[in-house]
Amino acid sequence: MQDSHRVWLTIGSLDISSGDAIGQLIGLESNARPVRNGAPPRKAFILQSDREISEHHPIDDHFKWLIGKTENQTTSIQDLLSKPGFFGSVLIQIVTDKFYGDFMMSNEFLAHLVRMGVDVEFSILSEAGEKDVESDS
């Protein structure tokens, strides 16, 4: 299995119930669309890297994609998230068939996340099955 990667930016509000309205406030358009026809609009603003580049590209490509999408709106995102009732996070997800592994984030990407003022969530999912503990001894 080839590892899959995704980086999602989510910005929500306790008062605004439309992702499109949040996008207008920060000057970006969400690329997350409802999966079903006729589904209600999303209540949060979401950018999903795997909607625009292959999930099988290296994780660093997904980091660079997010920087490219948001670098001109960093200040507006930070300003919005500093207001009461707004929250934001970046999900970094890796799905792998290995039992363990590692990845690196550049200081450029980390600094960009800090400038935006978002929380960071990590999701590393292993589809390796159960490890045979006895064979490791």
Side-chain angles (χ1 to χ4, degrees):
M1 169 188 151
Q2 188 176 6
D3 289 355
S4 65
H5 309 103
R6 56 191 50 87
V7 175
W8 293 0
L9 169 66
T10 302
I11 299 174
S13 169
L14 299 176
D15 300 319
I16 299 175
S17 61
S18 162
D20 291 338
I22 294 169
Q24 289 175 357
L25 291 173
I26 60 173
L28 287 171
E29 186 175 332
S30 172
N31 68 0
R33 297 287 173 240
V35 178
R36 298 168 299 164
N37 287 336
R42 298 207 182 252
K43 295 186 177 197
F45 172 85
I46 304 172
L47 282 178
Q48 300 173 324
S49 67
D50 53 320
R51 293 267 184 178
E52 297 189 21
I53 61 175
S54 170
E55 66 184 26
H56 300 298
H57 278 226
I59 190 72
D60 196 50
D61 289 356
H62 292 260
F63 296 156
K64 290 175 183 172
W65 172 87
L66 184 64
I67 291 171
K69 281 292 195 182
T70 58
E71 66 187 341
N72 292 330
Q73 282 74 27
T74 301
T75 301
S76 59
I77 292 170
Q78 184 183 51
D79 290 347
L80 186 69
L81 294 178
S82 69
K83 295 178 181 176
F86 287 92
F87 52 91
S89 67
V90 168
L91 168 69
I92 299 168
Q93 185 178 72
I94 299 171
V95 180
T96 183
D97 63 351
K98 300 171 187 73
F99 288 107
Y100 52 85
D102 53 25
F103 68 95
M104 188 178 102
M105 284 189 287
S106 69
N107 61 358
E108 176 189 16
F109 184 65
L110 289 171
H112 186 72
L113 295 176
V114 169
R115 283 191 302 274
M116 285 195 299
V118 295
D119 293 331
V120 180
E121 300 175 47
F122 296 95
S123 172
I124 302 174
L125 306 171
S126 174
E127 295 184 346
E130 292 187 36
K131 188 173 181 181
D132 184 0
V133 177
E134 291 181 25
S135 66
D136 286 346
S137 28

